[in-house]
Amino acid sequence: MNFTRWSARLPGTQRRAAARDERSSVPSARAEYAQPETGPRPPDGDPRSDTHDGPDPDPHDGPNSDPNSAPHGDPGGESPAGGPALEDLSARDILGQLPALVALLHGPDHRIAYVNDAYTAAFGPRPIGATAAEAMPELDELSLLPLMDQVLRSGTPRTVKSRKVRNGNSYTVTCTPVHRDGEPGTDGTDHKQSKPPKNVRNNKNARNGRNKGGEAGVLVYAADVTDHAEAAERLRASERRHRETAVTLQRSLLPQELEQPDDLRIAATYQPGGTDAAVGGDWYDVITLGAGRTALVIGDVMGRGVRAAAVMGQLRTAVRAYARLDLPPHEVLQLLDGLAAEIDASQIATCAYAVHDPNEGHLVYASAGHLPILVCHEDGTVHRAEDPTGPPLGTGGWIHTSGTIALPPGSTAVLYTDGLVERRSEDIDEGVAALGRALSGAKGSPQVVCDRLIRSLGVTAEHDDDVAVLVVQHPARAGADAELFHNASLDLLGGIEAAPRARAFATGVLTSWRFPVELCDLGVLAAGELVANSLKHGTPPMRLGLRRTDRRLIIEVTDGDDHLPRRRRADPADEAGRGISIVATIATSWGSRRTPGGGKSVWCEFALPR
């Protein structure tokens, strides 16, 4: 780009009138310094007349009759619409009428050579010859001064988009390198010095402004994009509000505080995926079933958005209701499968439901299309829960079954959703294996293990899928802590004489556990009523179990009959039917369930004094 044919006069240059080339009808681009030809043609011999041989052209001749006239369609000729010809407009005129902001700066210190009217209207007048750092603070606000240095060094245009200045307007700015050869003249040639070689503009020194007869500059072109920037910001703010609403809905449907069973330590983490408002349907839950047993749930509703979150909320509520029935895991999923089809047949959901019984030392679980549970033992070995795994919820026609996986003291179990292990670039089994390796080396509290697994699997705030992780630890207790956890049991053999033996056993055990006298009496009374009820309505084998934790006393009686007792109101004349009512009255809670091998368990709990 020839710097001097259109730029403002630089310091040290001379103003010269633009002259028409006698061999061309196109004037110099410095025509702003020449007087336009508006009057009649001067007579022959006038110094202002054109110099050419031959007679004057006949006005009736064709367009090519005059050798000095512009051919038809030549952009240098007069505008067909009657406006000014392009040859009559200077670069100053063109730039001055642009709605965009234009500034021309020259030299390594970016001295002001020209600003157009739009620039002046936006930021006020700028003194010609002053440096941009001193007289153009808006360029500093736009962070353009280092960029212009880079443009001067590289000779490559640079653009920055939607930068805001102090007055609140936003601009998209392009900085273009320009170059001035020598002193300005009508044709860009210095009449006082020889013209630089033709190839001087092409070499690196010329581009960088280091050639002897030239100087580099930068043309700053700023388009006002305030309306566009404000609309984009309003859209981003709306998206942020929608996302915050969706995430709030999602989190409100998750447990606000995890239940902490006596025998387990549990922590969970939920992280919404991506930055859009379409949160997913990942969820988890911990449900205390009574008698020291705990249900652990993890699920994932496929898809994203409020609809997926709403389906998730309904499924979670249904799981809690079914869990109160104290059903085996596969029966809970069987009921949930039918409900999922009724809620929304188009939504696919997966779920894993597991139950921990401290008396058995393992997890009983069932899975509906969900990823396998991982258990890390105290020595660092990791085991994966395999079959049985059924299809996702809502498919119907599948009979779910339960499986078991050991969870001994000192071990850690992890339940998770696919967002933790699934990556587009690798098979999901590789992600599960990576999770197993991370779990093997993760030590500390459940929350610490959660955080380490999230970091090890590379889950960040920009992760493209929701992630839910539930970490369950079965701590190994020793010393004084172990003295707070005890178990005792008695097989109930014989007939009616088993009842006094059970009461005597309960008295001795509760006394050895150093419970207060009042609690011992209540515990013996409850054990006697439960045993008497089992002897009357149940079948062998029968067993009385006593268990204490740091928080409660649990009394449980099992027998071989699967008919569950229910509390009823006994009439004053009835001689029986008051046992369960008495237990429900004196105990903190009570319940019953069917056992996997057939039969039932009836239990009650007493909260220990703090």
Side-chain angles (χ1 to χ4, degrees), residues 26-47:
V26 181
S28 167
R30 294 282 299 173
E32 69 268 32
Y33 300 119
Q35 297 295 327
E37 232 179 338
T38 56
R41 179 185 179 91
D44 292 343
D46 192 293

Side-chain angles (χ1 to χ4, degrees), residues 31-63:
E32 69 268 32
Y33 300 119
Q35 297 295 327
E37 232 179 338
T38 56
R41 179 185 179 91
D44 292 343
D46 192 293
R48 295 172 296 172
S49 63
D50 292 338
T51 57
H52 63 87
D53 296 333
D56 292 327
D58 188 341
H60 299 290
D61 289 343

Side-chain angles (χ1 to χ4, degrees), residues 255-537:
Q256 301 305 301
E257 185 176 352
L258 287 178
E259 297 182 28
Q260 293 293 337
D262 298 352
D263 295 272
L264 301 175
R265 298 292 178 263
I266 301 176
T269 295
Y270 169 74
Q271 180 169 311
T275 56
D276 58 4
V279 297
D282 293 20
W283 55 287
Y284 56 85
D285 209 347
V286 178
I287 308 166
T288 301
L289 301 178
R293 302 166 68 250
T294 306
L296 309 168
V297 193
I298 191 85
D300 187 1
V301 178
M302 304 304 173
R304 300 176 71 81
V306 175
R307 180 58 183 166
V311 172
M312 176 272 288
Q314 295 177 77
L315 292 178
R316 176 175 175 259
T317 302
V319 168
R320 294 192 70 88
Y322 295 147
R324 295 305 177 189
L325 301 175
D326 216 338
L327 299 172
H330 64 276
E331 293 188 23
V332 171
L333 290 189
Q334 205 72 50
L335 293 172
L336 203 61
D337 181 64
L339 180 66
E342 295 177 6
I343 293 175
D344 191 342
S346 64
Q347 290 279 5
I348 299 175
T350 65
C351 181
Y353 183 93
V355 174
H356 175 257
D357 190 333
N359 297 316
E360 297 176 355
H362 58 248
L363 290 177
V364 181
Y365 69 93
S367 175
H370 205 78
L371 294 168
I373 301 171
L374 298 183
V375 175
C376 178
H377 290 251
E378 198 169 13
D379 61 359
T381 59
V382 176
H383 296 275
R384 178 187 303 191
E386 301 295 346
D387 291 337
T389 299
L393 299 174
T395 55
W398 181 267
I399 304 300
H400 292 273
T401 57
S402 296
T404 61
I405 183 171
L407 188 67
S411 59
T412 301
V414 176
L415 294 79
Y416 52 96
T417 57
D418 57 359
L420 181 65
V421 296
E422 189 174 28
R423 302 292 183 269
R424 291 188 177 93
S425 59
E426 62 184 26
D427 188 81
I428 194 168
D429 287 336
E430 297 179 9
V432 174
L435 174 61
R437 292 189 296 270
L439 177 61
S440 177
K443 305 298 180 183
S445 67
Q447 189 59 59
V448 170
V449 173
C450 262
D451 297 339
R452 289 183 178 178
L453 294 181
I454 291 288
R455 290 195 302 269
S456 298
L457 273 295
V459 177
T460 63
E462 291 75 28
H463 194 61
D464 60 356
D465 195 5
D466 290 20
V467 174
V469 183
L470 185 64
V471 173
V472 181
Q473 287 184 347
H474 185 188
R477 295 181 173 88
D481 190 29
E483 292 297 321
L484 300 177
F485 292 81
H486 289 289
N487 287 284
S489 62
L490 173 68
D491 291 330
L492 302 174
L493 304 175
I496 193 171
E497 68 275 8
R501 288 202 306 269
R503 287 192 292 270
F505 174 77
T507 301
V509 170
L510 298 182
T511 302
S512 69
W513 289 348
R514 300 178 182 178
F515 286 143
V517 175
E518 182 182 356
L519 182 58
C520 286
D521 292 342
L522 291 175
V524 171
L525 176 59
E529 293 296 336
L530 292 180
V531 169
N533 184 78
S534 181
L535 290 173
K536 183 175 180 63
H537 300 288

Side-chain angles (χ1 to χ4, degrees), residues 3 10-11 104-113 129-133 145 148-153 178-180 208-210 214-219:
F3 183 94
L10 300 178
L104 185 62
L105 306 107
H106 70 91
D109 51 357
H110 308 300
R111 294 190 176 274
I112 303 172
T131 63
L145 296 179
M148 291 190 299
D149 291 336
Q150 182 182 0
V151 169
L152 276 180
R153 289 193 303 267
V178 292
H179 183 261
R180 183 171 73 91
N208 292 341
R210 294 191 296 265
E215 190 174 58
V218 177
L219 177 70

Side-chain angles (χ1 to χ4, degrees), residues 98-124:
L98 287 178
L101 281 60
V102 179
L104 185 62
L105 306 107
H106 70 91
D109 51 357
H110 308 300
R111 294 190 176 274
I112 303 172
Y114 169 77
V115 292
N116 69 346
D117 295 340
Y119 197 104
T120 302
F123 298 114

